[in-house]
Amino acid sequence: MTKEKDQEVKREIARLTNLYKDVDRVKRLTAKNLIEEAAFMKATLKELKEAIDEHGPIDEMPQGDYSILREHPALKSYNTMVQRYSGIIKQLMDLLPKDQQKEVDDGFDDFLNEK
């Protein structure tokens, strides 16, 4: 993992962990692993998005004397991971008290709007 990605992951872990500081101990322990996974996935999604922006969504793959066009591998990984990231964020939100769920901004909208 690059130093920049590692720092992003740590910042996201700190941000999400702060949301659970007042949640009961059992839920906090449950949230800990989910938070770590969500933070890693968010940083990885950013990398994949940058690769897609740089190389485009279509990749040319050589096949002997000819080549074929296919979905860029980064796009395929991005699409799979974004679904799993959304699932983890939902699980995390479900661990929060109902009144706190409405106040939480997971940063996902900002992430999608980055350019």
Side-chain angles (χ1 to χ4, degrees):
M1 187 167 5
T2 66
K3 186 176 181 177
E4 182 181 314
K5 183 176 179 179
D6 188 48
Q7 288 173 343
E8 281 186 51
V9 169
K10 287 178 182 177
R11 277 193 305 270
E12 185 65 7
I13 288 171
R15 187 184 76 79
L16 290 172
T17 299
N18 188 48
L19 297 173
Y20 292 85
K21 67 180 184 247
D22 296 328
V23 174
D24 73 80
R25 182 179 177 276
V26 173
K27 286 184 179 182
R28 250 193 345 266
L29 291 174
T30 301
K32 183 182 183 298
N33 289 336
L34 291 172
I35 286 170
E36 290 171 0
E37 291 302 319
F40 175 80
M41 290 173 113
K42 184 174 180 183
T44 303
L45 285 167
K46 182 179 177 186
E47 285 180 333
L48 291 169
K49 187 175 180 182
E50 289 169 359
I52 295 163
D53 286 344
E54 182 178 334
H55 302 289
I58 304 296
D59 184 38
E60 188 172 351
M61 187 171 103
Q63 292 288 311
D65 294 339
Y66 63 96
S67 63
I68 60 171
L69 297 178
R70 66 178 179 160
E71 178 181 43
H72 195 285
L75 180 61
K76 191 172 201 144
S77 296
Y78 179 88
N79 287 335
T80 301
M81 188 174 289
V82 79
Q83 290 175 342
R84 294 200 173 110
Y85 175 79
S86 295
I88 286 176
I89 292 299
K90 181 180 178 346
Q91 285 179 293
L92 283 168
M93 295 295 291
D94 290 344
L95 292 172
L96 289 172
K98 297 297 178 200
D99 60 328
Q100 191 178 350
Q101 288 181 11
K102 293 177 183 153
E103 300 171 18
V104 175
D105 175 15
D106 68 359
F108 189 66
D109 291 332
D110 292 337
F111 166 74
L112 288 178
N113 292 323
E114 284 179 359
K115 263 280 178 181

